[in-house]
Amino acid sequence: MIEISQLEKIYSTGKDCMIAVKTTNLTIIEGEILGIVGESGSGKSTLGKMIIGLERPSNGSITYKGHPLWNKKKYNRVEAGEIQTVFQDPQSSLDPRMSVKDIILEPLLALSKVERKEKGNRERLLQLIKRVGLKEEHLDRYPHEFSGGQRQRIAIARALITDPSFIVLDEPTSALDVSVQAQVLNLLKELQKERNLTYLFISHNMSVIRYMCQRVAVMFKGEIVEVGDTKEIFEHPEHPYTQKLLSSVLTIQNDTDTQSIILK
Amino acid sequence: MQINYSSKTLKSNPIWYKLKQNKMTWVGIIILALIVLFSVIVPLFSPFDPNKIDLVNKFQPPSSQHWFGTDEVGRDIFTRILYGARLSLGVGILIIVIAAAIGIVIGTISGYIGGIVDTIIMRFVDMILAFPNLILAMALAAVLGPNLQNAMIAIAIVKIPVYIRLARGEAMLLKEKLFVKSAETFGINKGLIIIKHIIPNAISPVIIQATLDVGDTILLIATLGFLGLGAQPPTPEWGAMISIGWTYLLTYWWYPVFPGLFLFLSSGALNLIGDGIRDVLDPKSAR
Amino acid sequence: MLEIKNLHVDFEGMRGKTEALKNMNLSLNRGEILGIVGESGSGKSITALSILGLLEENAIISKGRILYNGDNLLELSKKNIQALRGKEIGMVFQEPMTALQPTMRIGKQLFNVIKQHRNLSSKETKEAVLHALRDVHIDNPELVAKKYPFELSGGMRQRIVIALAMAAPPNLLIADEPTTALDVTIQYEIINLIKELNEKRGTSVLLITHDLGVVANVCDRILVMYAGEVVESGNTKDVLSHPIHPYTKSLLNALPDSVEPHEPLQAIEGEPPNLLKRPKGCAFSERCHFVMDICKEEHPELKDGGSSHQASCWLEKVIV
Ligand SMILES: Nc1ncnc2c1ncn2[C@@H]1O[C@H](COP(=O)(O)OP(=O)(O)OP(=O)(O)O)[C@@H](O)[C@H]1O
Ligand SMILES: Nc1ncnc2c1ncn2[C@@H]1O[C@H](COP(=O)(O)OP(=O)(O)O)[C@@H](O)[C@H]1O
Ligand code: SF4
Ligand SMILES: [Mg+2]
Ligand SMILES: [Mg+2]
């Protein structure tokens, strides 16, 4: 579905250059959840931003169903609402001065009038918010009245209103508590199955990646050092960085389970 | 549960809760309320016409009939001051509303679009801000010709850059906010983003600044009036009244003193209110 | 060495009184690492701030005592508690930048702190600075000492903060989410470091986190907090492998590791109660699978801050 080839992003700040993403190749297959893990600053978000048009690649190309997303300096939007995003911080990704209803309907502003009418009708809206676990009376409230998990549900509803096929999820649960994270992950997974969505799932949490993704790409200093089947990579990590990453995960081991790290 | 001090929260909460604690704000509110009340009521009931010449009664000292005395052509100073209050407050607020509205539109465009548009706009702004307020207002008023309308235009031009700068700064911060970034990913055009996200979120500091500025503007109008560059006699404008009354300070002290007192009280009251509002809306700057 | 007894903390606000901590009991022995876990808003940080006397102005401590080596910290004067902070009690917070002077070189900051707390000559202090940096596993201390905080990565900064906190050296280290802002690999190193300092110097540690994995790997004992109360306490191993309280159980079950990828996660439905008006009975009753009539009426109490494994749940009391 998405073909990334020789993609590069170089930020130049004054004299210095900073290579955020280094000649990257990656394929995202329709209907899959592809995970991206890596340490902070390894270029995960930058990669996602180039797909959704927030950062311009310095080199290389991204195609979406064969259609190039970047034409020189300009972002070629496939079709408004086809690619959507959910960001990490639900606090700042929702405009504090807009009601929940306006927030969810906002992406429709980019559509034609006819489509806006069709996709923004009240019935569809109500169905959608119910699906993500919100209530009708929430529509007239403002973001600050919601908890982190609820805000993330609002962000998910907003992403779904246009019926996208592909969603970039940049650390969608990193700001949430375990118990809330579980609710949101369940929702995301169910939605993906129901609507046959494709996700690019960015996270630094290995357990979340293991649970959510069929395939995973490990990023290290701007490069994808390993890509493959999640299970395969978790069981037989090849790259030293992947190995280090996996061995750093602090888990709650059961008494019988000795493979988890026990500190000296 | 997080305690959230965004202004939205405050909207749904009693602003009065915080205002109540701020005594000086209340002093300001009371003074201003009295002036407004009088300026509305007194002209309705006053037996005196603010512009009618009555040479027999010129230079009457304050008395039970003429509370603040009369001027060189026998007009009741108290009545004139309250007509002047209508004018000063009305014009002061009007100027600021216009300046703030223009400033916020230009400023948010400049800050959000950036690039060459921003560079050009900011050049102009820097140029205007390089001059002291008063000097520039005087020069502009002089060039445009001395009357109240031109003085208003001059003051507005002087004030707009402050709002442009403020709104631009806010817009540049907002531009990096995720909710603006997400709006960009939807493919919504920039104008709509400015209207839907940037302006509504940049407006609070502009309003705070505007309330702080009304008092200052009233002083500027009076100053221009005093210098003969603003409202012209016989308009009952405070500055113009003080200007003429000034020459009689030693003989007929009440003539310049009372308009001066009102000018001082109302701009002072407005400043107190402005401070109070800032503290309520903007907890960051609160002590 | 540290004991909190029956502590209640409220916040006066526009909408009324938030009961942020309710009947908090805790005891930390010398040389021990005690973990406090709970989701955000459960009162973890408030506990730490109460000990350090750093609560915000609108906080009201309505009841309770905080005993440090027998002295009630709540009765100490501002000056005395300030003297205690840094010298006796070191602290590390989530965001390392807040604890560092942005405009002062790392070496100088450490120098000042060490000089203040230890009776050393300037030359010895300089040595001690390098030593302190080496202790937190900074490989080239001479170089790092000359840097400014902004020139370092988040992980390095947190190490510096730990070095600063350990400079006195204190007998107690309070670390509030010290690794939450950091990557897994760096988290691993920092947690190791804390554990090592505890072992080498016998420093007691109060480690606050929402990450059960972290707790499982370093803490001797843990307290599980929910809605401003301790709901379960005991040895780490006991609590994590045989949790008693339904909340602790649900929390463990909600971890993505607890199920296979094709199964749904066992989320805890609902949300924690509003602390402005907490329920009469058990705070978890609205979300609990095992809720009984008594739960809604009467509040289950934890026996004390003692070391046995216990939970504040009617279930346990009914069965036992
Ligand atoms: N606008 C920018 N200007 C300069 N450098 C940038 C900019 N945005 C990102 N970078 C740099 O690019 C690199 C990759 O950043 P990116 O945000 O993609 O990291 P990430 O993997 O998403 O990290 P995190 O886990 O912290 O979100 C980082 O070193 C970052 O400092
Ligand atoms: N200054 C404050 N004013 C009012 N309420 C506060 C204040 N600080 C914290 N609280 C409330 O106290 C509760 C516990 O907070 P905290 O200890 O910071 O939680 P955490 O467990 O995430 O560290 C929360 O409900 C929070 O909203
Ligand atoms: S006391 Fe009752 S409601 Fe509370 S946790 Fe125990 S069983 Fe559940
Ligand atoms: Mg990122
Ligand atoms: Mg906290």
Side-chain angles (χ1 to χ4, degrees):
Chain A
M1 176 176 237
I2 288 194
E3 200 69 54
I4 293 171
S5 71
Q6 300 295 319
L7 193 67
E8 225 170 9
K9 176 72 196 176
I10 302 166
Y11 288 108
S12 43
T13 43
K15 283 170 279 171
D16 303 331
C17 284
M18 148 91 227
I19 306 181
V21 173
K22 231 185 273 178
T23 47
T24 294
N25 295 304
L26 188 67
T27 305
I28 304 173
I29 302 162
E30 183 147 13
E32 77 170 342
I33 304 183
L34 173 67
I36 301 217
V37 272
E39 63 187 348
S40 174
S42 59
K44 307 183 297 288
S45 299
T46 307
L47 183 64
K49 283 180 185 165
M50 289 192 280
I51 298 176
I52 58 179
L54 285 180
E55 290 287 355
R56 175 158 45 83
S58 309
N59 283 306
S61 73
I62 311 174
T63 58
Y64 179 83
K65 295 185 176 163
H67 162 116
L69 284 180
W70 284 94
N71 189 349
K72 300 227 174 69
K73 294 191 161 182
K74 230 180 118 347
Y75 185 67
N76 269 333
R77 191 160 270 104
V78 205
E79 198 183 308
E82 174 80 2
I83 299 179
Q84 286 282 21
T85 326
V86 174
F87 292 104
Q88 167 174 1
D89 183 7
Q91 169 95 43
S92 61
S93 68
L94 308 178
D95 188 337
R97 307 223 166 229
M98 275 164 85
S99 69
V100 169
K101 181 174 172 221
D102 290 343
I103 289 172
I104 296 179
L105 293 178
E106 189 186 2
L108 298 178
L109 293 175
L111 302 183
S112 69
K113 231 184 191 156
V114 186
E115 255 186 307
R116 201 180 314 158
K117 270 239 175 78
E118 181 196 314
K119 292 196 167 160
N121 71 54
R122 187 148 181 105
E123 215 170 290
R124 196 165 170 274
L125 177 67
L126 289 181
Q127 221 173 349
L128 181 63
I129 61 161
K130 223 162 122 204
R131 182 62 197 89
V132 300
L134 295 168
K135 300 199 187 94
E136 182 171 0
E137 71 248 31
H138 290 154
L139 283 175
D140 298 319
R141 302 209 189 143
Y142 289 85
H144 77 264
E145 296 171 62
F146 295 88
S147 64
Q150 284 177 317
R151 288 197 201 122
Q152 208 56 304
R153 290 169 195 271
I154 298 171
I156 292 170
R158 172 174 68 181
L160 291 176
I161 192 84
T162 53
D163 266 333
S165 321
F166 176 68
I167 305 183
V168 175
L169 299 145
D170 191 351
E171 313 238 12
T173 60
S174 299
L176 307 177
D177 279 306
V178 192
S179 59
V180 184
Q181 164 173 291
Q183 299 172 2
V184 173
L185 290 181
N186 277 341
L187 174 65
L188 286 171
K189 217 168 181 178
E190 288 161 20
L191 289 168
Q192 191 262 342
K193 279 207 198 99
E194 275 169 32
R195 301 177 176 226
N196 192 30
L197 298 168
T198 309
Y199 288 166
L200 180 69
F201 194 100
I202 300 173
S203 177
H204 64 256
N205 185 325
M206 298 302 275
S207 316
V208 171
I209 291 278
R210 183 199 69 100
Y211 177 70
M212 289 297 288
C213 308
Q214 285 99 46
R215 288 199 311 139
V216 59
V218 182
M219 275 190 97
F220 181 57
K221 298 201 167 146
E223 272 179 291
I224 292 184
V225 294
E226 199 163 353
V227 198
D229 196 74
T230 309
K231 210 166 168 225
E232 191 61 28
I233 287 192
F234 272 67
E235 278 164 17
H236 310 286
E238 265 170 23
H239 194 274
Y241 177 70
T242 317
Q243 288 163 3
K244 183 171 172 204
L245 200 59
L246 283 165
S247 70
S248 298
V249 178
L250 298 174
T251 52
I252 305 167
Q253 67 265 31
N254 295 323
D255 299 41
T256 47
D257 197 344
T258 42
Q259 59 115 57
S260 322
I261 13 84
I262 293 161
L263 300 168
K264 312 155 259 181
Chain B
M1 200 203 72
Q2 290 271 314
I3 298 297
N4 190 338
Y5 282 118
S6 78
S7 19
K8 217 49 209 212
T9 321
L10 287 160
K11 224 182 234 173
S12 54
N13 266 301
I15 287 185
W16 302 119
Y17 179 87
K18 285 189 110 186
L19 264 185
K20 249 189 238 158
Q21 299 172 324
N22 197 338
K23 295 211 178 65
M24 287 319 283
T25 313
W26 283 99
V27 172
I29 290 175
I30 291 169
I31 294 176
L32 188 71
L34 284 175
I35 293 176
V36 169
L37 192 72
F38 275 107
S39 73
V40 171
I41 293 175
V42 170
L44 295 180
F45 298 104
S46 167
F48 306 108
D49 182 315
N51 293 325
K52 179 138 172 271
I53 292 171
D54 177 11
L55 289 171
V56 181
N57 282 319
K58 71 177 188 182
F59 295 131
Q60 295 286 323
S63 65
S64 59
Q65 198 188 5
H66 297 287
W67 292 4
F68 292 174
T70 61
D71 65 8
E72 81 277 17
V73 287
R75 296 171 296 202
D76 181 56
I77 292 180
F78 184 58
T79 310
R80 278 178 66 76
I81 284 177
L82 291 171
Y83 273 95
R86 286 180 164 189
L87 184 114
S88 287
L89 290 174
V91 168
I93 291 170
L94 184 69
I95 291 175
I96 288 304
V97 168
I98 292 172
I102 295 175
I104 199 170
V105 172
I106 298 179
T108 48
I109 292 175
S110 180
Y112 181 64
I113 308 274
I116 188 146
V117 179
D118 186 42
T119 314
I120 294 172
I121 292 175
M122 289 324 282
R123 277 282 149 73
F124 271 103
V125 166
D126 289 339
M127 225 161 64
I128 297 179
L129 287 175
F131 295 98
N133 266 353
L134 179 61
I135 310 275
L136 186 63
M138 274 164 54
L140 284 170
V143 171
L144 293 169
N147 65 43
L148 182 59
Q149 197 188 335
N150 288 339
M152 285 168 66
I153 294 174
I155 296 172
I157 292 177
V158 169
K159 287 281 172 197
I160 288 171
V162 176
Y163 297 105
I164 294 184
R165 247 212 194 150
L166 196 62
R168 171 179 179 261
E170 288 296 311
M172 297 204 332
L173 291 179
L174 288 166
K175 194 167 141 178
E176 299 303 321
K177 285 266 151 92
L178 272 181
F179 62 81
V180 175
K181 295 261 175 216
S182 0
E184 286 168 7
T185 69
F186 304 148
I188 303 177
N189 72 44
K190 293 196 165 178
L192 211 51
I193 292 181
I194 291 178
I195 294 170
K196 288 229 145 210
H197 296 292
I198 309 285
I199 291 183
N201 283 288
I203 212 159
S204 280
V206 172
I207 291 178
I208 295 166
Q209 179 66 34
T211 3
L212 283 169
D213 267 1
V214 178
D216 187 35
T217 311
I218 288 177
L219 274 178
L220 268 179
I221 301 166
T223 312
L224 291 183
F226 180 81
L227 295 170
L229 292 167
Q232 298 299 312
T235 319
E237 195 276 321
W238 292 344
M241 288 166 75
I242 298 169
S243 163
I244 299 169
W246 193 248
T247 51
Y248 303 108
L249 178 65
L250 294 177
T251 36
Y252 311 112
W253 59 269
W254 57 87
Y255 189 176
V257 164
F258 286 113
L261 186 68
F262 268 73
L263 179 59
F264 170 75
L265 281 179
S266 51
S267 71
L270 281 161
N271 273 323
L272 292 178
I273 297 171
D275 281 339
I277 292 184
R278 182 184 53 203
D279 289 352
V280 171
L281 292 183
D282 186 13
K284 274 168 282 165
S285 69
R287 285 133 291 181
Chain C
M1 87 191 283
L2 176 72
E3 219 170 336
I4 297 184
K5 289 204 163 140
N6 189 21
L7 185 69
H8 287 69
V9 178
D10 302 330
F11 285 97
E12 202 65 71
M14 295 189 220
R15 302 190 204 179
K17 207 170 72 178
T18 311
E19 294 182 70
L21 266 195
K22 200 178 157 200
N23 195 12
M24 167 80 185
N25 286 290
L26 163 166
S27 73
L28 172 63
N29 305 322
R30 198 169 290 280
E32 195 179 32
I33 304 186
L34 177 66
I36 301 186
V37 277
E39 45 198 304
S40 79
S42 59
K44 307 182 295 291
S45 301
I46 300 300
T47 308
L49 296 176
S50 319
I51 300 169
L52 297 163
L54 292 174
L55 284 174
E56 283 176 52
E57 273 172 23
N58 62 340
I60 304 158
I61 298 182
S62 54
K63 253 193 248 168
R65 284 180 299 164
I66 301 178
L67 301 173
Y68 181 77
N69 291 333
D71 298 330
N72 187 351
L73 296 185
L74 298 176
E75 284 167 2
L76 286 188
S77 70
K78 257 207 171 117
K79 218 174 105 198
N80 286 338
I81 194 138
Q82 213 150 20
L84 210 60
R85 286 204 296 260
K87 174 118 190 79
E88 273 288 322
I89 306 178
M91 41 198 173
V92 177
F93 293 112
Q94 173 169 348
E95 190 32 71
M97 232 18 205
T98 54
L100 295 171
Q101 282 269 352
T103 53
M104 202 193 279
R105 292 180 201 278
I106 301 295
K108 181 83 184 152
Q109 298 192 31
L110 268 167
F111 184 92
N112 289 349
V113 173
I114 294 175
K115 189 98 187 160
Q116 185 193 339
H117 293 305
R118 288 198 238 162
N119 212 351
L120 298 178
S121 70
S122 285
K123 191 153 165 273
E124 284 169 327
T125 311
K126 274 190 191 138
E127 270 306 304
V129 166
L130 298 182
H131 195 79
L133 288 172
R134 251 177 245 125
D135 272 356
V136 291
H137 299 289
I138 283 177
D139 296 335
N140 34 7
E142 286 89 359
L143 195 72
V144 172
K146 291 203 191 78
K147 296 206 168 186
Y148 289 98
F150 68 86
E151 297 178 88
L152 303 174
S153 68
M156 289 279 259
R157 279 184 209 145
Q158 199 59 293
R159 277 167 210 260
I160 306 290
V161 174
I162 293 176
L164 281 167
M166 294 299 292
N171 290 316
L172 169 63
L173 180 71
I174 297 182
D176 188 355
E177 312 252 6
T179 59
T180 303
L182 305 175
D183 283 316
V184 252
T185 49
I186 300 157
Q187 158 166 303
Y188 181 73
E189 289 162 12
I190 297 284
I191 290 298
N192 263 323
L193 177 62
I194 291 177
K195 175 103 180 162
E196 187 187 304
L197 292 172
N198 162 265
E199 277 170 4
K200 265 203 207 150
R201 303 200 190 163
T203 316
S204 312
V205 182
L206 184 63
L207 180 67
I208 296 176
T209 174
H210 65 265
D211 189 332
L212 290 162
V214 168
V215 164
N217 285 278
V218 279
C219 298
D220 301 313
R221 282 192 304 125
I222 61 176
L223 302 180
V224 182
M225 292 193 70
Y226 182 75
E229 296 174 66
V230 177
V231 294
E232 181 156 0
S233 69
N235 285 328
T236 307
K237 220 171 164 184
D238 295 342
V239 174
L240 295 182
S241 45
H242 307 288
I244 303 173
H245 200 283
Y247 174 65
T248 317
K249 288 183 191 164
S250 316
L251 209 55
L252 288 165
N253 287 335
L255 289 172
D257 288 324
S258 63
V259 296
E260 287 303 311
H262 57 87
E263 299 164 336
L265 288 172
Q266 300 172 35
I268 313 178
E269 294 308 326
E271 282 167 30
N274 184 344
L275 297 183
L276 284 170
K277 44 174 197 287
R278 44 167 80 246
K280 193 159 88 189
C282 170
F284 192 56
S285 57
E286 283 160 20
R287 305 167 79 184
C288 182
H289 288 305
F290 307 99
V291 59
M292 302 167 287
D293 288 341
I294 184 173
C295 305
K296 292 189 179 148
E297 292 307 317
E298 277 181 68
H299 190 273
E301 302 291 339
L302 208 63
K303 273 166 260 157
D304 52 44
S307 47
S308 63
H309 182 191
Q310 50 171 327
S312 67
C313 171
W314 288 117
L315 213 54
E316 184 206 24
K317 299 189 180 167
V318 171
I319 295 168
V320 171

